Amino acid sequence: MTPALNQNDLARLVHAGDPRRVARALARLDAVQIAAYLDNFEPHEQDLVFQALPAERRPQVLAAMRYEVAAELIGRRAPEEAAGMLGDIQEDDAADILGRVDEGKLREILAHYGDEDAHALEELLAYGERTAGGIMSPEVFSIHHDVTIAEATRMVQTADDLPQHVHYLYVVDEHDRLVGVIGLRQLVRSKPDMPIHAVMTTELVSVTAETDQEQVAELVSRYDLVGIPVVDDQRRLLGVITIDDILDVVREEATEDILKMAGAGQMMVETRTFSASFRARMPWLLAAAAGGLLVAASLQGFEGALQSVPALALFMPVVAGMGGNVGTQSSTIVVRGLAVGYVETNRLGRLVLREVGLGATLGALYGTGIAVAAPFVGATSSDPVHLGAVITLGMMGSMMIAAAVGTSVPLLMNRLNIDPAVATGPFVTTSVDILGLLFYFWLATVLLGISG
């Protein structure tokens, strides 16, 4: 059996610069495998692979690539060649790729389309990039509500332009308004002479063209759908969003949230180069640096406490670090919960109290352990009992503050229609550091009887 060809093997062949060997290697891979490898190749490597691919395979590979990477590749092709490849893939995929190409190149490519096809693509491109209209396919199979099961089955069997992903037949009335849906399984199991309207499902889940793509993904997940229709304000059928597009949305939204939370940009493709990564990260790190200065400034009044009990300095990093970890955990849970609909807005108070309670319990557990271990790491004091109390209660307070801030800030941002993912970066970390350490030193001044 011929061993599988991995990405490194293909990269070595590409670097060797032998198109024939690359072509033979590509013949052993399917379109999805090639696309996955190309997503991680440099531009010149992608071009060499595409040149080695047979012309009939190029559209298949292009459709399987990430849209952002595919748009970069298309931008480097001649307009006529680009139009030829895009013309052989589904319209919604072509629109998703073209929507990421610069305006000048887009016009050059559309000029090589027929008037009807160019108009259809322009209609899709007119919708917002992150809306249902922007990800829907206009290729949808609909039938009239008065036809019989036998007639509907025959229409499916004889259709010349049957969409690639047909999971449901959408039923429309005489005004082309969506009135029902019937799955293919139900179609083949129903009696041939029955009218469609007698067996179709009328409890419809649909979206408008302006619905946010994240909300579309949530509906599809909640109702266990493999496709969802897109309608206008008169309930006329505009298109359908299929499960493959939903999976792309889920991956894109999850990636965006993770990168925002880390302060590393919004999309992986936007940070592929050094300069792009620098521009994406610099503002967040600048905010973190400013936060560090604020922490230093807020502790200026406690030099006397540190001189009186130097051991307090030993536990500053652990108090701030544990608080920061709890704050990040709480904010991450809330941000993801808001994104997938697990956080109910009518139970916010209960959520905040639960997180604060967890912070108190975990703080007591770890604070006690650290206080017990303090003498063994060289932390000495004339009043070890009160020092232990400062460490334990300081840890509890820091983690309770962190849980409250980490939970409340994303909820507040969501209420203000600001993406809550940005709240888990330097803002939460800096707030937790300042408040947690201030509480820690205030306890020290009270319990150890020392002045700031």
Side-chain angles (χ1 to χ4, degrees):
M1 180 182 292
T2 305
L5 186 75
N6 61 36
Q7 182 175 313
N8 291 332
D9 295 332
L10 182 59
R12 280 194 291 269
L13 292 176
V14 170
H15 292 158
D18 187 344
R20 292 184 179 181
R21 292 184 65 193
V22 173
R24 287 195 295 270
L26 293 174
R28 294 160 50 191
L29 300 171
D30 61 38
V32 174
Q33 290 173 314
I34 297 172
Y37 295 164
L38 286 179
D39 282 339
N40 299 307
F41 277 10
E42 294 298 323
H44 70 278
E45 297 171 332
Q46 296 170 353
D47 293 338
L48 193 151
V49 170
F50 250 71
Q51 291 169 5
L53 274 171
E56 63 273 12
R57 296 194 70 193
R58 293 175 186 175
Q60 302 169 8
V61 173
L62 186 71
M65 294 174 67
R66 290 195 180 100
Y67 295 136
E68 297 84 1
V69 182
E72 292 177 359
L73 190 146
I74 281 294
R76 297 193 299 271
R77 313 246 75 76
E80 186 175 0
E81 180 188 359
M85 286 194 292
L86 290 168
D88 288 333
I89 66 177
Q90 295 183 68
E91 279 188 342
D92 59 326
D93 290 331
D96 284 329
I97 295 171
L98 287 173
R100 293 163 170 83
V101 175
D102 69 78
E103 188 67 23
K105 188 71 175 184
L106 171 62
R107 293 300 159 200
E108 293 177 1
I109 294 173
L110 289 179
H112 290 275
Y113 273 84
D115 290 342
E116 185 177 342
D117 292 335
H119 180 69
L121 280 172
E122 287 177 331
E123 282 191 334
L124 288 177
L125 290 168
Y127 293 112
E129 180 183 343
R130 306 176 71 81
T131 64
I135 59 174
M136 76 175 181
S137 170
E139 300 173 355
V140 55
F141 196 86
S142 61
I143 54 177
H144 198 270
H145 67 105
D146 283 339
V147 303
T148 64
I149 294 292
E151 290 171 332
T153 303
R154 186 164 56 252
M155 291 168 65
V156 172
Q157 292 172 339
T158 59
D160 293 329
D161 55 350
L162 191 68
Q164 182 177 350
H165 299 288
V166 178
H167 307 289
Y168 308 110
L169 302 185
Y170 295 102
V171 186
V172 296
D173 63 14
E174 59 273 8
H175 301 292
D176 290 329
R177 291 179 299 211
L178 183 64
V179 294
V181 63
I182 180 170
L184 292 184
R185 181 176 181 273
Q186 187 179 6
L187 181 74
V188 299
R189 291 175 62 89
S190 299
K191 294 180 179 179
D193 59 344
M194 293 187 68
I196 282 288
H197 64 75
V199 295
M200 70 182 185
T201 299
T202 57
E203 294 181 0
L204 294 169
V205 180
S206 62
V207 295
T208 66
E210 290 74 30
T211 304
D212 185 86
Q213 64 175 16
E214 194 168 5
Q215 185 179 347
V216 175
E218 181 184 339
L219 285 171
V220 169
S221 173
R222 183 173 297 177
Y223 287 94
D224 292 327
L225 303 174
V226 292
I228 189 168
V230 182
V231 298
D232 63 12
D233 54 1
Q234 301 296 319
R235 291 197 62 77
R236 289 189 295 261
L237 193 59
L238 298 176
V240 63
I241 302 172
T242 52
I243 191 64
D244 58 320
D245 295 311
I246 294 299
L247 291 175
D248 289 337
V249 169
V250 171
R251 181 186 64 190
E252 180 182 324
E253 294 290 344
T255 300
E256 179 182 323
D257 283 350
I258 291 169
L259 292 177
K260 280 184 177 179
M261 286 156 55
Q266 294 189 25
M267 294 300 295
M268 294 290 290
V269 71
E270 294 175 356
T271 55
R272 288 165 68 93
T273 65
F274 177 87
S275 60
S277 294
F278 180 84
R279 289 193 302 271
R281 299 185 190 186
M282 186 184 70
W284 292 98
L285 293 177
L286 179 61
L293 290 175
L294 286 174
V295 173
S298 66
L299 298 180
Q300 278 188 352
F302 296 102
E303 294 94 337
L306 286 172
Q307 291 175 356
S308 301
V309 187
L312 290 172
L314 297 177
F315 301 98
M316 288 173 59
V318 71
V319 169
M322 293 293 282
N325 287 335
V326 169
T328 300
Q329 289 174 349
S330 297
S331 57
T332 300
I333 290 169
V334 173
V335 168
R336 197 60 196 149
L338 290 168
V340 299
Y342 289 161
V343 173
E344 299 180 17
T345 55
N346 60 343
R347 297 184 177 180
L348 299 184
R350 185 182 302 177
L351 175 62
V352 174
L353 288 175
R354 188 197 70 183
E355 289 297 313
V356 171
L358 281 171
T361 304
L362 291 170
L365 175 65
Y366 285 102
T368 302
I370 292 171
V372 171
F376 300 98
V377 296
T380 58
S381 170
S382 58
D383 191 352
V385 174
H386 283 99
L387 176 62
V390 169
I391 295 171
T392 301
L393 296 176
M395 186 75 72
M396 285 182 64
S398 175
M399 293 174 75
M400 289 173 66
I401 292 169
V405 172
T407 306
S408 302
V409 170
L411 293 173
L412 176 62
M413 288 194 166
N414 183 67
R415 186 69 61 88
L416 298 174
N417 293 321
I418 300 173
D419 190 344
V422 301
T424 59
F427 186 85
V428 166
T429 304
T430 301
S431 301
V432 168
D433 285 349
I434 293 174
L435 297 174
L437 288 175
L438 283 175
F439 181 75
Y440 172 66
F441 278 106
W442 174 80
L443 272 178
T445 60
V446 171
L447 296 181
L448 295 177
I450 53 179
S451 63

